[in-house]
Amino acid sequence: MKIIKVKDYQEMSRLASEQVIDKINNTEKPVLGLATGSTPEGLYQNLIDANKNNLVSFKNVTTFNLDEYIGLASDDPNSYNYFMNEKLFKHIDIEPSNTHLPNGKATDIEQECQDYEDLIKKTGKVNLQILGLGVNGHIAFNEPGTSFSSRTQKTELVEETIEANARFFDRKEDVPTHAITMGIESIMESEEIILLASGKNKAKAIKQLVEGEVTEDFPASILQKHPHATIIVDQDAASLLE
Ligand code: GLP
């Protein structure tokens, strides 16, 4: 696992965008794994700017997002579908049919999870997966205790995650209690992974991710075992590292 320490959020976002652009420009049919949350917003803005300046095109790019809340339609402003459209997709030259997120309104959630897995497999593999980090060590919506051999599945959000994500909703009670998430094993199959973390509130989680033991109690720790995982952290998020 490679650790890159940078000064601040801007530098983290810039470096991540350079790596994404590099991957797109050097892969024939690039498949990106994308994340939501506040952390990758700066990266997405940089990608929009680079696309506008003709430094990168998304015409051949396919994307798969990590997760979606169960119960929210894709046009719900709190859904991850909506977030991705607003923060990235509608501003770049990507083919909308090449962008994929789980359907949180599917009538058969189990089938939806299976279909999502199958679609990723049919496309090949994710060449570059972007990850954020939950304060409790979750990646995507894989909460502590999730099996390392999990695949795309329905998951129940823990209180800590509901609280952390309540800032996006009018009321905490509006945060969905369940989500569809790519599993740990599905994520680990990506060719390359870049995890981004910024700010003091991620410092403890980053320390555990980098220096702690590899355990299902702290899902992100599995990245220590990935052959091409890079963690880009700003000074605040890296402040507790030895
Ligand atoms: C959510 C998402 C994760 C994300 C995490 C951290 O729970 N499901 O994919 O990494 O939040 O979010 P933030 O970047 O806003 O701290």
Side-chain angles (χ1 to χ4, degrees), residues 2-8 11-12 15 206 210-211 230-235 237-242:
K2 199 163 124 191
I3 323 289
I4 303 179
K5 293 185 198 170
V6 296
K7 192 167 116 255
D8 53 19
E11 213 182 309
M12 177 198 78
L15 188 62
I206 282 295
V210 175
E211 295 166 6
T230 303
I231 316 285
I232 307 180
V233 275
D234 71 2
Q235 258 171 21
S239 57
L240 295 177
L241 290 179
E242 294 294 324

Side-chain angles (χ1 to χ4, degrees), residues 34-41 66-69 80 130-136 138-143 157 161-162 164-165 167-168 179 181 195-198 201-202:
L34 300 178
T36 48
S38 311
T39 310
E41 280 192 43
L66 289 166
D67 44 17
E68 178 59 287
Y69 289 114
Y80 285 167
I130 301 298
L131 291 178
L133 179 63
V135 283
N136 64 357
H138 75 228
I139 46 176
F141 267 136
N142 294 291
E143 299 285 23
L157 309 187
T161 300
I162 291 178
N165 290 358
R167 68 187 194 278
F168 296 109
T181 182
L195 180 140
L196 305 176
S198 160
N201 70 324
K202 296 290 169 76

Side-chain angles (χ1 to χ4, degrees), residues 9 39 78 102 105 118 168 193 206-207 218:
Y9 182 79
T39 310
N78 282 126
K105 280 293 242 189
D118 293 346
F168 296 109
I193 296 178
I206 282 295
K207 186 177 176 64
F218 195 84

Side-chain angles (χ1 to χ4, degrees), residues 44-75:
Y44 296 154
Q45 188 53 55
N46 287 351
L47 293 178
I48 293 168
D49 295 343
N51 186 227
K52 292 218 157 75
N53 294 323
N54 292 320
L55 299 172
V56 67
S57 167
F58 292 83
K59 281 207 159 40
N60 291 324
V61 174
T62 299
T63 67
F64 286 95
N65 263 78
L66 289 166
D67 44 17
E68 178 59 287
Y69 289 114
I70 291 178
L72 301 191
S74 56
D75 59 354

Side-chain angles (χ1 to χ4, degrees), residues 84-92 94:
M84 288 309 300
N85 274 325
E86 291 300 311
K87 303 292 181 190
L88 183 64
F89 298 150
K90 77 175 191 190
H91 307 287
I92 57 176
I94 197 161

Side-chain angles (χ1 to χ4, degrees), residues 204-222:
K204 241 178 100 196
I206 282 295
K207 186 177 176 64
Q208 199 168 343
L209 158 54
V210 175
E211 295 166 6
E213 62 164 322
V214 177
T215 162
E216 289 177 347
D217 292 335
F218 195 84
S221 62
I222 190 68

